[in-house]
Amino acid sequence: DGVKRNAQEVFLKGTTQSVVLEDCYAENRDACSCLARQAKCCCRCVERCLRCIFFMNLPTLFYVLLLVLSECLCCGPCRRRCRCFCSKKEQMIESG
């Protein structure tokens, strides 16, 4: 059986032919690597926060754009300005 053979090899290598490992991760402990890892982590965090904020507010953005578009297509600003201008003109005529 392959599992038994594998377990036996692992046991032999770990007991009779064992090797002491020293500084296995030494190449990633210098200041530049540490700074690069922290900067990468910070950038990833900022990116995910901005993405979360953007996607949480996306429905509101679409709603506001829809309102603005509907106002512009239905001439909402023009009607308001016209009503305001007409009412001022009528007041001027009535007053004299």
Side-chain angles (χ1 to χ4, degrees):
D1 165 69
V3 176
K4 186 175 182 180
R5 248 185 297 159
N6 188 26
Q8 192 175 20
E9 280 295 316
V10 169
F11 178 75
L12 288 175
K13 296 288 184 185
T15 54
T16 59
Q17 302 169 359
S18 62
V19 178
V20 177
L21 300 176
E22 294 179 11
D23 287 335
C24 297
Y25 301 102
E27 70 262 2
N28 292 330
R29 280 194 277 174
D30 60 338
C32 291
S33 294
C34 183
L35 185 63
R37 274 195 317 272
Q38 289 178 354
K40 183 179 176 182
C41 184
C42 184
C43 288
R44 190 181 311 137
C45 181
V46 168
E47 174 195 357
R48 289 180 182 171
C49 286
L50 289 176
R51 186 183 303 164
C52 181
I53 290 170
F54 177 75
F55 284 121
M56 282 176 53
N57 292 324
L58 198 60
T60 306
L61 176 68
F62 284 140
Y63 180 69
V64 168
L65 287 176
L66 182 69
L67 287 177
V68 168
L69 187 63
S70 68
E71 283 289 318
C72 289
L73 289 177
C74 297
C75 295
C78 297
R79 284 184 297 172
R80 286 190 194 113
R81 184 175 293 149
C82 182
R83 274 187 277 163
C84 181
F85 179 72
C86 291
S87 65
K88 284 182 183 178
K89 193 173 185 180
E90 288 173 1
Q91 286 176 359
M92 290 176 74
I93 292 172
E94 288 175 4
S95 63

